[in-house]
Amino acid sequence: MTTSSERPFIYAPPVEPYLTVLHKDEDILVLDKPSGLLSVPGRPLEHRDCLASRAQEQFPSATVVHRLDLDTSGVIVMALHRKAHRHLGLQFERRKTQKTYIARVWGQVEKDEGRVDLPLTIDWPNRPKHIVDHETGRPSQTDWQVMDREAVATRMRLTPITGRSHQLRVHMLALGHPIIGDPLYAPDDAFHAAPRLQLHAESLTLHHPKDGELVTFTVPCPF
């Protein structure tokens, strides 16, 4: 079996569409991040192209408030000034936002819904991978619900309660159903079953920095 460390990583970010703006006003910029594009620049020069740099080309004051993994697609919000950045940052920190994801996982999930409550930490010898660690891990919870059952996969709606790195990917792996197309955590059959990670940030609900009104932004799942 091929391990994730033996799967070569080549950064080839999509260029069409270059930047998809879902919403813009005086305070926030909401974008649809494609799979394969970094949220923020990586250290190598060839990894400078990212959602943040593309956004700042058109909207110079845009700043990153939260991130999506390289291979994850979907809704992401940026702040357009310092006050909005602080307002949004506190919402994410205090779990005042709500995010829903769509995922296709490998195999048939038996139950119709549930919660994964497993603490996570970085796997230092194998970073950037994360692992379940009951001694040093940070509390992490994900609610899940089956949407549809396919021949070899299950379509799920995932609602993260916490926002740890790789949380959804590791929690689905711990459930016994890795996300299809995951280059880090999926075994060969699940990895090769799709051309990309089958994880999409479908919706994001937050309090608008201008007046605190609850607003929701949605992007249909592309797979």
Side-chain angles (χ1 to χ4, degrees), residues 72-103:
T72 305
S73 58
V75 183
I76 194 166
V77 64
M78 295 186 182
L80 291 176
H81 54 78
R82 186 175 297 178
K83 186 177 179 181
H85 186 103
R86 174 170 172 75
H87 193 286
L88 292 170
L90 286 172
Q91 287 187 59
F92 280 98
E93 182 182 324
R94 296 171 180 174
R95 302 178 192 171
K96 300 297 185 182
T97 63
Q98 183 174 4
K99 293 174 277 187
T100 62
Y101 291 75
I102 304 298

Side-chain angles (χ1 to χ4, degrees), residues 20-26 28-31 80 208 215 217:
T20 302
V21 178
L22 302 173
H23 171 84
K24 179 193 173 294
D25 56 39
E26 295 178 351
I28 63 174
L29 176 67
V30 185
L31 305 169
L80 291 176
H208 198 287
V215 291
F217 302 98

Side-chain angles (χ1 to χ4, degrees), residues 20-176:
T20 302
V21 178
L22 302 173
H23 171 84
K24 179 193 173 294
D25 56 39
E26 295 178 351
D27 307 288
I28 63 174
L29 176 67
V30 185
L31 305 169
D32 177 10
K33 189 189 88 67
S35 175
L37 180 67
L38 289 165
S39 293
V40 297
R43 289 181 180 176
L45 282 177
E46 59 270 26
H47 294 178
R48 305 307 286 176
D49 182 20
C50 63
L51 189 70
S53 63
R54 292 183 183 186
Q56 288 159 1
E57 288 172 11
Q58 295 186 38
F59 312 100
S61 66
T63 55
V64 174
V65 180
H66 67 122
R67 307 178 186 185
L68 293 175
D69 290 346
L70 166 72
D71 296 308
T72 305
S73 58
V75 183
I76 194 166
V77 64
M78 295 186 182
L80 291 176
H81 54 78
R82 186 175 297 178
K83 186 177 179 181
H85 186 103
R86 174 170 172 75
H87 193 286
L88 292 170
L90 286 172
Q91 287 187 59
F92 280 98
E93 182 182 324
R94 296 171 180 174
R95 302 178 192 171
K96 300 297 185 182
T97 63
Q98 183 174 4
K99 293 174 277 187
T100 62
Y101 291 75
I102 304 298
R104 288 178 67 238
V105 303
W106 189 245
Q108 295 286 344
V109 178
E110 288 187 17
K111 297 181 180 179
D112 292 332
E113 60 184 20
R115 171 175 288 191
V116 180
D117 186 357
L118 293 170
L120 302 177
T121 189
I122 192 166
D123 183 6
W124 282 106
N126 299 297
R127 58 187 185 276
K129 295 179 76 172
H130 285 66
I131 54 173
V132 173
D133 189 319
H134 292 278
E135 292 185 3
T136 64
R138 300 172 71 187
S140 310
Q141 298 88 30
T142 302
D143 286 340
W144 57 268
Q145 181 180 21
V146 170
M147 300 174 65
D148 187 36
R149 290 182 171 86
E150 306 172 19
V152 296
T154 306
R155 182 175 288 264
M156 311 264 279
R157 175 169 281 112
L158 308 179
T159 304
I161 308 304
T162 52
R164 312 299 182 204
S165 294
H166 294 193
Q167 175 177 316
L168 302 181
R169 299 160 74 175
V170 179
H171 275 177
M172 292 303 99
L173 179 68
L175 198 65

